[in-house]
Amino acid sequence: MFSVKELVESVSLTSLPSNYIFGNTESDRHCLLMEPEETVPIIDFSLLTSHDPHQRSKTITQLGNACLNWGFFMVINHGVAETLRDEMVRETESFFDLRGEEKKQYAGKKLFDPIRCGTSFNANVDKTLLWRDYLKIHVHPHFNAPAKPYGFSKVLREYCEKTREMASELLRGISVSLGLEERCINEKLGVESSESHQLFVANIYPPCPQPELAMGLPPHSDHGLLTILMQNGIQGLQVMHKGKWVLINPLPNSFLVNTGDHMEILTNGKYKSVLHRAVVNNKATRISIGTAHGPPLDTLVSPAKELVADDAGQAYLGITYRNYLELQQSKSLSEKSCLDRLRFSM
């Protein structure tokens, strides 16, 4: 089968195919049980960008605490029109609704193909397939978009420009929260340069006959500095917090933001990337849309010298963003396995 969506639509499934059963022990299945919802930090973007220094300073403190204690937060009053968000979800859904032969041209095998769609994470090495189809588009520095649906390209361009602007503002606030100059992260890593990297990732999780046995995405952290996410109103995102899985219930018209592995590297472990996962359900299709924001592909990312304490030393090896992406894609998605390979032994 080319996709989970096609599998679901082609036959009347009453049980999960064996190659989608996530784990084969009781302990594996037990960890799929959901924990109660918990309130996550909320960042008011309008206050972060306020001309009132007191309001801005207070919000930067909140942002720093969110990065330190959660690695995850919601953004409200961000200025991205609700109509644009809705259009992006609709166009994404329309892409996944295209016939298989129309999508097949984007079934790329290479990591840096401009547009790739497929299923699972790395179907060539995944021992268990994930209940998820995806569309990945490199949208910056070079903008790409599929030819169909016909309105997709225009909406995608505007949406990615807006989220790129949001990421830059958030990184300025994060810089200040770390005691650095406001533009330090953006300038050190070239995030605002014409060569910065932005990846658009859309996921579709169709209804699953036995959701307690399947997994949309397993526990993992993201590459890059920040991931900005929205979804179609169907829950499924869970974040690890204090050793428990927290089911995220976003506020209406909010964005979800998490810190990535390169934020952890850059801050020498102060702001850690957060483990998260996507669970599935048996009632409704969930769509999530994320944009991953990072430096130019050939930028070496290493701990900022200002954040390396003399007594602790550098905690991570430096690595180019390109090489990190290649390392991550070469294996199955598994917690922080890529980042762990860059840690110095203490």
Side-chain angles (χ1 to χ4, degrees):
M1 281 295 173
F2 177 68
S3 70
V4 174
K5 186 174 185 292
E6 289 182 356
L7 173 64
V8 169
E9 293 174 351
S10 65
V11 294
S12 179
L13 289 177
T14 57
S15 62
L16 191 67
S18 60
N19 53 339
Y20 286 96
I21 295 177
F22 191 81
N24 55 11
T25 68
E26 282 303 311
S27 60
D28 285 337
R29 296 179 184 182
H30 176 72
C31 74
L32 297 181
L33 297 176
M34 297 193 180
E35 293 292 334
E37 295 177 18
E38 184 171 335
T39 302
V40 301
I42 298 171
I43 302 300
D44 189 327
F45 192 77
S46 67
L47 300 182
L48 180 66
T49 56
S50 170
H51 295 299
D52 182 334
H54 174 71
Q55 292 279 23
R56 177 168 163 75
S57 177
K58 181 179 177 181
T59 307
I60 286 173
T61 298
Q62 294 171 346
L63 180 60
N65 288 336
C67 291
L68 182 66
N69 298 321
W70 276 81
F72 183 86
F73 50 91
M74 292 187 209
V75 176
I76 61 172
N77 298 328
H78 41 70
V80 180
E82 189 172 2
T83 52
L84 177 60
R85 288 163 50 96
D86 291 344
E87 286 175 350
M88 191 72 263
V89 171
R90 283 196 300 269
E91 293 295 336
T92 299
E93 189 171 13
S94 295
F95 175 86
F96 286 118
D97 283 341
L98 292 173
R99 297 190 308 275
E101 56 266 27
E102 293 180 290
K103 292 181 287 189
K104 190 169 290 187
Q105 63 178 306
Y106 304 120
K109 304 297 183 185
K110 297 179 181 178
L111 175 61
F112 296 109
D113 284 348
I115 304 171
R116 283 194 302 144
C117 66
T119 193
S120 198
F121 176 72
N122 187 349
N124 292 326
V125 299
D126 291 340
K127 294 179 180 178
T128 302
L129 295 177
L130 303 173
W131 198 259
R132 163 247 195 179
D133 299 330
Y134 66 80
L135 169 64
K136 297 183 179 182
I137 308 174
H138 296 272
V139 290
H140 199 267
H142 306 293
F143 180 74
N144 300 283
K148 294 180 180 180
Y150 296 113
F152 191 99
S153 178
K154 180 177 180 293
V155 174
L156 178 67
R157 184 185 292 274
E158 184 179 357
Y159 180 81
C160 290
E161 286 174 355
K162 293 293 186 183
T163 52
R164 204 156 58 242
E165 291 168 4
M166 190 192 313
S168 292
E169 287 290 350
L170 289 170
L171 289 171
R172 290 174 193 169
I174 290 171
S175 269
V176 176
S177 78
L178 289 163
L180 305 173
E181 292 294 326
E182 179 178 279
R183 305 187 74 87
C184 182
I185 293 177
N186 285 329
E187 290 182 352
K188 176 180 173 62
L189 296 183
V191 180
E192 292 180 339
S193 75
S194 60
E195 294 299 313
S196 66
H197 192 264
Q198 183 184 23
L199 181 68
F200 173 92
V201 182
N203 300 302
I204 184 169
Y205 307 95
C208 178
Q210 292 178 289
E212 72 280 4
L213 301 183
M215 183 64 78
L217 281 172
H220 68 284
S221 56
D222 291 345
H223 61 76
L225 294 163
L226 296 175
T227 298
I228 297 176
L229 184 86
M230 69 170 178
Q231 56 190 28
N232 67 338
I234 305 300
Q235 293 182 355
L237 175 65
Q238 296 182 350
V239 171
M240 178 65 75
H241 180 62
K242 296 181 179 177
K244 294 184 178 180
W245 288 111
V246 177
L247 176 63
I248 304 302
N249 184 19
L251 293 171
N253 201 36
S254 66
F255 281 101
L256 306 173
V257 181
N258 63 267
T259 51
D261 291 344
H262 291 82
M263 181 67 75
E264 182 166 338
I265 295 170
L266 179 70
T267 63
N268 206 40
K270 181 172 183 177
Y271 290 171
K272 292 179 168 54
S273 57
V274 63
L275 282 178
H276 53 288
R277 66 186 186 183
V279 297
V280 295
N281 71 81
N282 59 5
K283 293 182 175 62
T285 294
R286 177 173 178 258
I287 291 176
S288 69
I289 296 172
T291 52
H293 301 265
L297 287 174
D298 294 314
T299 297
L300 181 71
V301 183
S302 59
K305 62 180 185 299
E306 300 92 333
L307 301 176
V308 178
D310 292 337
D311 57 340
Q314 184 172 321
Y316 303 90
L317 293 166
I319 188 171
T320 67
Y321 193 37
R322 181 189 302 274
N323 287 348
Y324 192 90
L325 293 177
E326 291 171 337
L327 177 64
Q328 187 183 60
Q329 188 62 37
S330 68
K331 303 179 179 301
S332 294
L333 203 57
S334 177
E335 299 196 353
K336 290 191 173 187
S337 57
C338 291
L339 189 60
D340 289 341
R341 296 181 63 171
L342 301 180
R343 298 182 198 274
F344 278 113
S345 299
M346 304 303 286

